[in-house]
Amino acid sequence: MSNVVVNDKTFQPFISSEEIHERIKVMGKQIDKDYEGKRPLFIAILNGSFMFASDLFKSISIEAEICFIKLASYKGTSSTGNLITSIGLDESLVNREVVIIEDIIDTGNTLHQFLPQIQNQQPASLKIAALLNKPTAMKYPINIDYLGFSVPDKFLLGFGLDYDGLGRNLPQIYQLVNE
Ligand code: IMP
Ligand code: MG
């Protein structure tokens, strides 16, 4: 597999689509086992997670629902910092078995701010499924219940992840080549 260039940056192959699919299959089997008879509600966070969410959801064979939200963060005008609001979460989460689907957890900031909003809606349970995690970049500890790959703190592209809005359609994951 060869490198790809997006705008000014070069990326090299990092995780093949075969590896991704094998890993997602295993994650799906584990979720099947853990949620048998519980009809979980998956909440996929757009944009980055759409491809992972699609493949993970196909790998699950128990009864389950999925919905999609977009998180918008605003630069804080007050000392409270970034405010994260969800767009499109219409479902009631009361007493639901909720599983958040994220593409990548980097600093953990997004989920650190967003999870309390979900907890406020009193779900029966709340778990996290993430395809990727950069443990050395984590600033806010997030407990990831279903993790695809633990990766070094380098910028990644493909399989839903973008650089300047591009590269999401790449079927495998690439890593930034340091110049
Ligand atoms: P966090 O809030 O720092 O955990 O980062 C969350 C979001 O940043 C992710 O959901 C991604 O959309 C984006 N992100 C983090 N690392 C990368 C990367 O390596 N490539 C592309 N997007 C990334
Ligand atoms: Mg994201």
Side-chain angles (χ1 to χ4, degrees):
M1 284 292 164
S2 43
N3 289 356
V4 298
V5 176
V6 177
N7 291 339
D8 55 328
K9 303 235 181 292
T10 303
F11 297 84
Q12 64 191 13
F14 181 52
I15 309 174
S16 71
S17 61
E18 290 75 21
E19 282 176 89
I20 298 169
H21 290 117
E22 282 313 304
R23 188 71 197 115
I24 292 177
K25 260 195 236 163
V26 173
M27 295 170 82
K29 281 208 180 98
Q30 186 63 47
I31 290 172
D32 272 348
K33 226 167 109 190
D34 295 350
Y35 288 91
E36 173 80 66
K38 290 187 173 168
R39 200 185 285 194
L41 172 63
F42 292 86
I43 303 177
I45 301 177
L46 297 174
N47 294 326
S49 75
F50 76 98
M51 215 175 266
F52 171 50
S54 164
D55 282 1
L56 184 67
F57 203 56
K58 279 183 284 183
S59 78
I60 290 164
S61 54
I62 55 165
E63 265 193 357
E65 293 174 58
I66 189 166
C67 66
F68 298 85
I69 61 161
K70 198 157 178 165
L71 293 183
S73 54
Y74 302 91
K75 280 271 183 282
T77 50
S78 70
S79 58
T80 53
N82 290 347
L83 176 75
I84 299 204
T85 50
S86 61
I87 301 169
L89 186 59
D90 311 319
E91 279 81 359
S92 164
L93 304 184
V94 178
N95 277 327
R96 295 301 308 264
E97 312 275 354
V98 172
V99 183
I100 304 285
I101 303 183
E102 251 293 37
D103 50 355
I104 180 164
I105 298 175
D106 185 0
T107 63
N109 179 45
T110 308
L111 286 184
H112 173 76
Q113 293 199 56
F114 180 57
L115 291 178
Q117 292 183 35
I118 298 284
Q119 286 289 14
N120 277 346
Q121 297 192 43
Q122 298 176 326
S125 68
L126 177 57
K127 285 191 180 183
I128 315 282
L131 181 62
L132 301 154
N133 176 224
K134 297 177 184 170
T136 58
M138 274 250 208
K139 287 195 198 137
Y140 305 91
I142 302 285
N143 183 44
I144 307 170
D145 302 279
Y146 305 101
L147 176 63
F149 302 92
S150 202
V151 297
D153 186 10
K154 273 198 180 177
F155 193 80
L156 302 177
L157 181 77
F159 203 76
L161 298 169
D162 72 305
Y163 170 55
D164 274 357
L166 298 173
R168 293 192 196 277
N169 52 321
L170 294 165
Q172 58 182 321
I173 295 172
Y174 291 79
Q175 189 178 56
L176 179 66
V177 176
N178 292 330
E179 280 110 39

